[in-house]
Every structure is written in C-alpha cells, then in structure tokens.
Amino acid sequence: MCGIVGYIGYNQATPVLLNGLARLEYRGYDSAGIAIFNDDKIKVAKSEGKLANLKNKIENSDVSGFVGIGHTRWATHGEPNERNCHPHTSENGKFVVVHNGIIENYDVIKRQLREKGVKFTSDTDTEVVPQLLAYYYDGDLLKTVSKVVNELAGSYALGIICEDYPDKIIAARKSSPLIVAKGEGENFIASDISAILDYTKTYITLDDGDIAELKADSITLYDKELNEKETDFIVTDLDVSAVMKNGYDHFMLKEMNEQPEKLRGLYNDYVKDNKVVVPELDKIADVLDNCEKIYAVACGSAYHTSIAGKYVIEKLCRVNVETDIASEFRYRDPILNERTPVIIISQSGETADSIAALRMAKEQGAPVIGIVNVVGSTIYRESDCVLYTKAGPEIAVATTKGYATQLMMFYLFALYFAQSKGTVSEEEIAKYCSELEMLPAKIERLLSDTKTIEAFSEKYKGANNFFFIGRNTDYAAAMEASLKVKEISYINSDAYASGELKHGTIALIDKGTPVISFCANKKLFDKAWSNAEEVVARGADVVCVVSEKDEDKIQQGYEKIVLEDVIDEFSTMLEVVAMQIFAYYIAKNNGCDIDKPKNLAKSVTVE
Ligand code: F6R
C-alpha cells in the first residue's frame, strides 16, 4: 500500500526521495509525489501513474532543497489522479503531509472544517490532516501535531513538514508502519527500511501513538502526551543487494530462487541431532501442553500455509486446528481463551486484518504465536511468541519465499509439538527431519530445470479459466497455485477439493477446460486419480502434478509434471514451487507486470 519516505540532511533531498520511492514501488501504488523545502518555501510535485512520470515532471521544474517528504499512493478515498495524490497541503500552504492508512472520521472533520470556511481540494481522507494542523496551529508545531493526531480515528503513518520550521520533519504513527532512521548528518523516515538501505541501516520502528521530531543532526521521540522517550535504535543486517534484482529479470524469479537457501537456513537454525529445537516455543511450553485447540489465522497466501499446516499438525500432534481468514475471524466472535493459542501468519507483519485478529485474540486471553518475516513489525512486536521466518525482504507482490518459509515454520512447529506431546516416536521425528533436510535440494533441482513447466505455461497462456484440484495437502497446494496464477497473470481460476467437484462445480467443465490435478500425496493418489478421470471424461485438459513414485500410474496420453518424491505431509512445498514457476511463465508469456500486478499492494495495511 502507500509508501512514505522523508529526508533531512545536508544533501539534496530529491534524489534520496525518488530512490526511496522506487524501492517502495513494490508496495503497490498508482500515483506519486514529493514536497521539498526550497528557499524556505515548500514546493510540491505530483503525478499520476508510475514514478517515471513524476521524475519527468521534476526534471522540468526547479525542485531542490535539503528537506523533503515523498509518497507513493495506493488509492482508497478518491480516484488515483493528481488531485488526490500526496503530499497534501493546507489551504494556507503552511502544512504539507504524506499519509499511509485511513482516517476513519475524516468526513466529520471535513464537515466541521468546511463549516469554518476551510476549502478542500481533494477527495481524500488525508487532506483533513494538513487542514486540521493549519486550523489548530498556534506556532507550537509539536503540540499542534499532538492535538491533531489525538483527534484522528483509524490508522495513520504521517510525514509532516511546516513552512515555519524548515529544519524539521515530524513523523507520527498509529496502526500503519513507519520507521525513523539515523544517518551521518542526515535522518530519514520511511514505511520500511528497504527504502533507505542505500543510506543507513540504523532505525527504530515507531510505536502506536509515537511522534518523532527529526532534524539533520537529531531525532527526538515522544509518546502521545509528548513525554520524551528513549530511542532504542536497531541495526539491520540486511544489505542493499537484498532489495535489488541481482541479474534476475524479476524480483519474483529472484525470490523463487532464494527459497532453497532460506529453507536451509531455517532447518539449520531449528533442527539439531534429528530433533527440532525451538527455544521460542519452549517459552510457551505450558500453553502448548494445555492447549485444547489451535487457531491459525491469516490472509491470502499466508492463510494457505495455515491450511497445509493444519493437515500436518492434526496428523502428527492429534490436536484440533481451525484455520480462518483474518478478515472473517475478526468479526465472527470465535471461542477463545488461554487454552486456544492463535497462530497469526504474516510476511509483512503489517496486514491490517491479521493485526486486528491478533489483538482480538489477545483481548480474549488467547496466547498469540506470530509467524512473521519482518522484525519490528506490528505482528512481530505484539505476538506473545514469534517464529521469525528470515526470508529477507520480499519485493515481488506475489509471495514465494515468504510462503515457503511460513510453510517450513509450520512443518517445524508440527514436529516440535509432536515431539513434546510424544505423539510421534523419536525414529519418526528423525525421518521427518531428514525429509525436511532434503527439501531445499529438491527445490533447487526443480528450479534449475523448468523446461517442462515452461512448456505448459506456453500451452495454457491463452486460457480463460483454470481449475486446480486436490485433496488434503494437495488441496492446500491447489489453493496457493490458483492464487498465484490469478494475481500475476489475471487469468481466472479456482481451487476445489477434488471430492467436492461432483457436488456442483463439475458443471463448469467443458471440452478443453484446463484442470491441474495435484496428486503428489501418495496415500491419496488413487482418489485424486479417479477425480482427474471424472473431469477428463467431460473433456477437460488435465495436467497431473505427481510424485516420481506414482508417475507410472498416470495413464498414457495424460500430461504430467513429475516431482521428486517427498513424504506426503510435506508434499505441498514442492507442488507450490512448481506452480510458482507455472504462474511466473504464464505471466511472462502474456507480458504482465509480474512484480507489480495491477490493483495489488504488497502490504495490505488497511481493512
Ligand atoms: C499473494 C500474497 C498475499 C499475501 C497476503 C498476506 O501472493 O502475497 O495474498 O499473502 O496479503 O500478507 P502478509 O503475509 O504480509 O500478511
């Protein structure tokens, strides 16, 4: 969603802002703008569409200076046009603001200000912020910001500059991500550290309610009541290469290829002498010992990992797992207590619905385990126990390594839990561990020879509608495969539990309908196979995704993608990687914007 970057220092701000905004492009946006202090006046430049448009505009104007804020907007209130593009300015021109989040009471504030004669120029919720700042302003910048943010309902990450203070940027945050970062004689604000890794690695994530005052040589942090706070900076070990393509055509391809290394890292961190050792979970051993049921809650692909996780945990640990989509869970009054731990899965750690689900669970006394990829993110900070997935920054909007590391964490969680409950013998745990150890190399081999899958992508690039079908762990793979194809190639598709087809959906199968049938789970192969035959009988064009062990059972004339054999419980992983490749090449063949699919945002920070 929206991206924010701000710079104050002794260098020209414009190149830093444009570079930062380019690094934030992955979050998804439809317009961009910057505001710069230029001879004590604030100059604003904005443009609809891609950053290149903004750059062209700036080249032909005189926007220079050492202090500025920039923004990429993902439209929520008002069309994605120049009028609604950030930064927004108060009517008197004194305050200029960039904002990520949603001001829920904007209409009330807008009406009140209009009654006082204030004129608005955009359709956005954001514009109330600079207008309210100007309305309350009494010369004390910090006090005015504090008064204004205390009136805002909803979520905000704000970057504010005021014409009277050309040596300051003010940042404020509630329920939308924002960091402040320290350099040498220069300081920054940003939606995330990837925006400014070229300049610094030292930063703090603002807490809800925090207000920060940045000058070129200092950062001062305040709480809501403007009491000064300690600044506990952290230094990231991320390198700028982590946010570059490094020779790959797309971030998605790069990130797919990083999966083996990332999974190996998690394996090495958590498996010792054929046992799964997770000190983070040792701390909540009591909770796990006494748990009645586990909830696993997330959005999108992260939710799909919970489906695969459920099958494995229930099988190995004999504990009920209930999965839900965060946006549903938060409004359905689930039965929660201290004996129902809730696993919240999130790559970004900032997904609004997942955060709401987490907070609801905690309010009702349920312990929260976060499976999270971003250190310092809201879900990272608010979970009672964090399983950090260490995938590194994921830039492509469609998740790949984020998904794979979340899934690996579920596998490790299931083994740890089964071990501590004694539901699986030591020998079996050792066997599962050795299967996990082999997974990265199998993925490496799959990624190194993609010709067969590429050929299927070419064959089906013109399809209008795909069906992905499977049972159990194969169904979990089907769900993720369907989303991957939809989101990056814009081809409609759906995932169905194979056994459910006969109950209605099979009516949609016609001659030539492409059906990808997942049958890598060997225990269920025969069932999966008979469902594949049912659709073939109705004219479908079926591709079976099958383990090498069952390859010969696929009758002649059927298309297949053969995967190296993996123990059934972990088969989703290889199936999904195969489908990442499939989706990637369909999108590539169709000339789609693979890393930044239309309408999508990487981090969904609004409800
Ligand atoms: C799909 C995808 C999304 C995310 C979802 C949750 O490829 O990336 O479906 O999985 O938006 O995001 P996080 O994991 O950041 O909470």
Side-chain angles (χ1 to χ4, degrees), residues 16-286:
V16 180
L17 297 183
L18 290 177
N19 184 42
L21 292 180
R23 297 251 184 264
L24 293 175
E25 275 190 300
Y26 78 96
R27 298 169 72 89
Y29 73 107
D30 39 51
S31 55
I34 60 170
I36 303 274
F37 264 108
N38 186 287
D39 291 335
D40 290 353
K41 288 269 165 252
I42 302 172
K43 283 206 169 172
V44 175
K46 342 180 175 190
S47 186
E48 209 179 308
K50 295 290 172 198
L51 262 182
N53 302 348
L54 178 66
K55 283 183 188 160
N56 286 339
K57 206 166 202 177
I58 292 170
E59 262 171 30
N60 304 324
S61 70
D62 170 32
V63 185
S64 67
F66 306 104
V67 182
I69 50 179
H71 189 266
T72 44
R73 173 173 187 252
W74 190 86
T76 56
H77 293 67
E79 280 178 31
N81 56 26
E82 204 170 306
R83 216 162 62 82
N84 292 327
C85 179
H86 299 214
H88 285 285
T89 307
S90 58
E91 196 184 352
N92 63 4
K94 220 178 241 314
F95 286 91
V96 179
V97 169
V98 289
H99 165 229
N100 176 16
I102 290 184
I103 310 296
E104 286 167 4
N105 56 342
Y106 84 99
D107 47 349
V108 179
I109 299 174
K110 199 168 180 171
R111 200 173 338 108
Q112 286 166 350
L113 288 174
R114 271 188 171 142
E115 280 165 12
K116 314 267 179 212
V118 176
K119 289 197 179 57
F120 283 78
T121 55
S122 80
D123 311 314
T124 63
D125 53 334
T126 301
E127 196 187 344
V128 298
V129 181
Q131 302 285 25
L132 203 54
L133 284 163
Y135 181 72
Y136 282 139
Y137 185 55
D138 58 2
D140 187 329
L141 179 59
L142 267 184
K143 273 204 185 127
T144 309
V145 170
S146 162
K147 188 168 169 130
V148 166
V149 293
N150 281 316
E151 275 197 23
L152 303 178
S155 56
Y156 57 79
L158 293 168
I160 300 168
I161 52 179
C162 169
E163 215 168 55
D164 292 350
Y165 293 90
D167 60 338
K168 284 183 191 176
I169 296 178
I170 305 292
R173 171 224 158 124
K174 188 184 145 214
S175 301
S176 277
L178 194 64
I179 62 163
V180 295
K182 190 165 72 166
E184 292 291 320
E186 55 185 7
N187 291 314
F188 307 82
I189 63 170
S191 293
D192 65 59
I193 188 69
S194 68
I196 47 176
L197 273 178
D198 291 279
Y199 315 100
T200 181
K201 294 181 171 202
T202 308
Y203 71 101
I204 336 169
T205 305
L206 296 187
D207 282 330
D208 269 359
D210 279 358
I211 297 175
E213 182 185 77
L214 287 83
K215 295 184 176 181
D217 298 309
S218 67
I219 294 175
T220 318
L221 199 59
Y222 302 92
D223 67 13
K224 273 214 298 246
E225 278 75 44
L226 291 183
N227 301 306
E228 205 170 318
K229 285 180 71 175
E230 290 274 303
T231 43
D232 281 333
F233 286 95
I234 57 169
V235 181
T236 176
D237 56 6
L238 290 176
D239 199 75
V240 73
S241 69
V243 291
M244 294 168 81
K245 284 190 202 148
N246 299 340
Y248 285 97
D249 284 350
H250 297 97
F251 280 109
M252 182 176 174
L253 190 60
K254 175 192 172 215
E255 288 159 8
M256 279 155 60
N257 278 285
E258 284 172 359
Q259 293 178 112
E261 168 210 333
K262 301 297 176 190
L263 297 181
R264 221 170 255 131
L266 290 179
Y267 177 88
N268 291 333
D269 283 351
Y270 291 118
V271 180
K272 315 274 176 219
D273 300 326
N274 281 329
K275 284 202 175 57
V276 179
V277 182
V278 188
E280 297 88 327
L281 291 175
D282 290 346
K283 288 188 214 137
I284 56 156
D286 274 4

Side-chain angles (χ1 to χ4, degrees), residues 299-302 345-351 354 397-399 406 480 483-484 487 602-604:
C299 302
S301 295
I345 313 102
S346 177
Q347 187 284 124
S348 62
E350 296 293 354
T351 301
S354 304
V397 165
T399 183
Q406 288 165 352
E480 177 59 7
L483 180 58
K484 281 279 116 9
E487 66 184 331
K602 181 68 186 163
S603 175
V604 184

